């Protein structure tokens, strides 16, 4: 059952549910823990100053209200700037109790925290989380999730292969014998070939690629 309300954030009204309140509370607890464990201890005022320096100010009062549970909503921009200010990933704030603590990843769907992180990063499709949460997975949704996962996977492969090709191209082969030079050239050629394959597939999928 959805216990819904409305919360005003800035100039906008948003739906507030028990699930969304849980997200804010979980992030708040981790923000406070990370802030207090820093050496020297990071005050709320200094954390607020960091968000200002990053270009998305969160006042001391707002951060205090979040930690004390008076602020029961959290938008994406706030999550991102707090993560950067604390020098952690957004996933570390959203799902801090890795790997096995159950977390309500969507309303009424609880999975292990590690699966939630993998879904957030694109490593696991939603279908896998639904299966662990003992929820039915519609065929169309499963196919869509697989397509989304391919885009993440191919982008990672492209970035890895392009980086390796550029690294090998920049390395000096001085001091290498002929066999070592041949192995290095073959490796560079293989990474360039894989980069071109990934680039071709990304274009087929209509992905945004800057290949200049």
């Amino acid at each position: 059952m959805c216990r819904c309300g409305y919360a005003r954030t800035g100039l906008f009204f948003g739906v507030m549910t028990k699930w969304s309140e849980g997200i804010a509370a979980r992030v708040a607890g981790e923000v406070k823990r990370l802030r207090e464990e820093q050496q020297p201890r990071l005050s709320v005022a200094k954390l607020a100053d960091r968000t200002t320096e990053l270009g998305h100010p969160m006042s001391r009062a707002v951060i205090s209200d979040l930690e004390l549970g008076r602020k029961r909503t959290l938008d994406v921009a706030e999550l991102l700037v707090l993560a950067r200010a604390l020098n952690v990933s957004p996933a570390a704030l959203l799902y801090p109790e890795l790997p096995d603590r159950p977390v309500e990843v969507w309303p009424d769907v609880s999975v292990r925290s590690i699966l939630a992180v993998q879904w957030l990063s694109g490593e696991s499709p939603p279908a896998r989380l639904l299966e662990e949460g003992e929820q039915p997975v519609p065929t169309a949704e499963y196919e869509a999730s697989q397509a989304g996962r391919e885009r993440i996977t191919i982008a990672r492969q492209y970035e890895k292969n392009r980086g390796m090709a550029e690294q090998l191209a920049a390395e000096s082969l001085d001091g290498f014998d002929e066999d070592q030079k041949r192995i290095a050239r073959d490796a560079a050629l293989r990474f360039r070939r894989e980069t071109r394959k990934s680039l071709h597939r990304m274009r087929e999928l209509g992905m945004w690629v800057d290949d200049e």
Side-chain angles (χ1 to χ4, degrees):
M1 180 179 294
C2 175
R3 292 172 53 193
C4 302
Y6 288 87
R8 183 167 182 170
T9 306
L11 298 177
F12 302 93
F13 286 90
V15 176
M16 182 171 62
T17 65
K18 183 179 178 182
W19 171 68
S20 66
E21 288 183 25
I23 293 173
R26 192 165 60 243
V27 171
E30 190 64 4
V31 166
K32 183 177 182 180
R33 185 187 72 80
L34 291 170
R35 179 178 62 75
E36 293 182 342
E37 287 186 356
Q38 290 203 14
Q39 297 297 328
R41 181 179 178 276
L42 183 67
S43 69
V44 173
K46 288 183 179 179
L47 179 57
D49 289 343
R50 286 189 182 180
T51 65
T52 298
E53 292 167 4
L54 290 168
H56 188 80
M58 292 182 68
S59 70
R60 180 173 58 181
V62 167
I63 295 174
S64 291
D65 283 347
L66 178 66
E67 290 188 357
L68 294 171
R70 291 193 293 257
K71 175 177 165 55
R72 295 183 294 167
T73 61
L74 188 75
D75 64 34
V76 173
E78 290 172 332
L79 171 67
L80 296 179
V81 78
L82 284 171
R84 179 65 187 92
L86 292 164
N87 201 29
V88 298
S89 72
L93 296 183
L94 280 170
Y95 310 119
E97 296 177 308
L98 295 168
D100 292 329
R101 182 66 179 264
V103 64
E104 193 176 12
V105 66
W106 310 304
D108 301 321
V109 177
S110 293
V111 299
R112 289 177 295 130
S113 292
I114 186 61
L115 281 182
V117 170
Q118 290 173 346
W119 166 69
L120 186 69
S121 67
E123 296 175 66
S124 288
R128 184 181 175 195
L129 276 70
L130 289 170
E131 288 169 352
E132 173 150 320
E134 298 182 351
Q135 301 288 324
V137 184
T139 300
E141 182 170 335
Y142 181 82
E143 292 174 351
S145 70
Q146 290 297 96
R149 187 180 184 186
E150 181 187 7
R151 295 167 71 89
I152 296 289
T153 300
I154 199 72
R156 286 177 172 166
Q157 290 173 346
Y158 172 74
E159 193 66 20
K160 176 184 177 181
N161 290 325
R162 184 176 68 167
M164 290 299 298
E166 291 174 352
Q167 179 180 333
L168 288 169
E171 286 185 354
S172 171
L173 298 183
D174 294 343
F176 282 34
D177 61 31
E178 289 305 312
D179 283 343
Q180 292 172 323
K181 289 180 180 179
R182 177 180 55 78
I183 291 171
R185 286 193 293 266
D186 288 348
L189 181 63
R190 183 172 67 254
F191 283 119
R192 287 196 297 271
R193 186 183 304 119
E194 291 300 318
T195 299
R196 288 194 296 270
K197 285 171 59 178
S198 296
L199 182 61
H200 176 71
R201 180 56 181 157
M202 287 191 295
R203 285 172 172 163
E204 286 183 336
L205 294 171
M207 296 171 65
W208 182 282
V209 185
D210 182 5
D211 59 330
E212 294 183 359

